[in-house]
Each structure stands twice: as C-alpha cells, then as structure tokens.
Amino acid sequence: MTAGKKKTTVAFEDFMARAYVMEIDASERYDDFADQMEVHNNLEVAQLFRKLSQIEGLHAKRILKEMGWKKPPKTLLAWRWDDAEPPETAAVTDLHYLMQPWHALEIALRNELRAEKFFARIVRSVKTPAAVKKVAADMAAEEREHVRLIRDWMKRVPEPEPGWDRDPDPPVYSD
C-alpha cells in the first residue's frame, strides 16, 4: 500500500484520505467507549477499548507515512457512508456499562467485517481506478487478517453468561 513520493492520482489520494478518516473515526470511537467504561468503573473493558483505539490510530499513522503526508488530509465533508457511521466505527448504542471483554471484541469484529466488506466492494466496482483497486484489495486482505486475529482473541476470553446485563442497582442518570 505504499505511495510515498510516487505520483498519485486525485482518486487515489481521495481514497487514501477516506481510509485515513475511517481509521481516525474508529480510534476516536474506541477512546470514547473506553472513557465511558471508566466512568462505570468497568476498567477491564476500558483497557481493551484503549488497546483497540491504539491499533486503529497506528493504522492511521501508517497511512500518513505511506502517503508522505506531513499532516492529516482535510476532512471530507462531502463523503457519505452507507450507514450512519463509517464502516469501521461502532455505533454509540453498541455500548453497555456492564459489558465484558467478549462484548468489546464482538463490537471490534463487526467493525472489521464491515471494513473488509467496504474495501471489497470498492475492488469489485467497475468505476474504481486500477491503483485504487490494488490498495483497496490490500486493505480488504488486511481487514480479513484483523477478523482472524479478533476471532482468535475471542477464543481466549470467556463468553458472557446469560443475565450478564442484570444490575439490581443500576446507575441513575440526571440531566
């Protein structure tokens, strides 16, 4: 996926900027989730979300480096995603204050699967320039590897028992 100092097309740079935005959005959402888990004293899950945030942040930094960009690309206000969120970003409604590590990994798995599907769709598009298809194919393969890694990780944490979300003394919210 290296572009570096090579001549790139507008379509290629736009695609890479969008990939960068996806990674940053995912990183920021995982950080938000970690903050919420800390508020609810769910420190184990908070730590897992922080790790996921760092991983996504590293992906964004790699895009900057590979593109030779000294600073992040300008925000793409006109970009539209298929859903309300970018493909690799979890919805805020996915969070539960009593969730366990398995749930956090389940969220990450869904994100990676959506990202892989997003990049694979770009590869299949007849309108996509060849240089973009090549990088999108590489990114789709990388997302498939992330799916495999998360599934392996999920095997190492216990799946929650039924009733994991019952709280006899739930938090009280006030406005």
Side-chain angles (χ1 to χ4, degrees):
M1 166 169 68
T2 58
K5 304 259 190 248
K6 293 179 187 175
K7 183 178 176 184
T8 59
T9 65
V10 171
F12 183 79
E13 288 192 14
D14 183 54
F15 171 77
M16 294 304 288
R18 291 174 186 183
Y20 173 82
V21 169
M22 277 178 56
E23 300 294 356
I24 288 298
D25 282 349
S27 177
E28 289 174 354
R29 182 60 51 87
Y30 283 138
D31 251 353
D32 292 344
F33 283 3
D35 291 345
Q36 286 299 311
M37 291 295 98
E38 287 172 0
V39 164
H40 291 289
N41 203 29
N42 191 339
L43 302 181
E44 183 179 19
V45 175
Q47 184 178 24
L48 180 53
F49 278 131
R50 292 263 183 247
K51 181 157 186 71
L52 291 167
S53 174
Q54 290 171 349
I55 291 167
E56 298 300 342
L58 289 173
H59 296 160
K61 286 179 183 177
R62 189 178 77 211
I63 290 170
L64 289 178
K65 181 179 178 186
E66 290 180 359
M67 291 302 293
W69 293 334
K70 300 288 185 227
K71 59 183 181 176
K74 294 186 180 185
T75 304
L76 302 165
L77 298 175
W79 178 248
R80 292 185 178 198
W81 305 106
D82 292 340
D83 295 314
E85 301 286 352
E88 205 166 6
T89 302
V92 294
T93 55
D94 287 348
L95 203 61
H96 190 285
Y97 70 101
L98 294 177
M99 70 188 331
Q100 297 171 22
W102 190 89
H103 296 111
L105 291 169
E106 186 179 44
I107 289 170
L109 178 62
R110 285 193 309 264
N111 292 345
E112 299 297 336
L113 287 167
R114 277 193 315 274
E116 189 277 331
K117 184 178 175 183
F118 172 80
F119 291 124
R121 191 170 45 244
I122 290 170
V123 172
R124 290 190 307 272
S125 172
V126 294
K127 296 179 183 179
T128 304
V132 173
K133 280 187 181 201
K134 163 101 177 69
V135 176
D138 291 345
M139 289 180 168
E142 186 175 283
E143 298 300 342
R144 280 190 297 278
E145 176 62 12
H146 296 165
V147 166
R148 187 191 66 73
L149 292 170
I150 290 170
R151 285 184 170 145
D152 287 347
W153 199 352
M154 288 178 83
K155 291 174 187 174
R156 297 190 301 265
V157 297
E159 191 168 341
E161 296 289 328
W164 63 267
D165 57 347
R166 283 192 214 115
D167 186 351
D169 187 22
V172 177
Y173 298 102
S174 62
D175 292 18

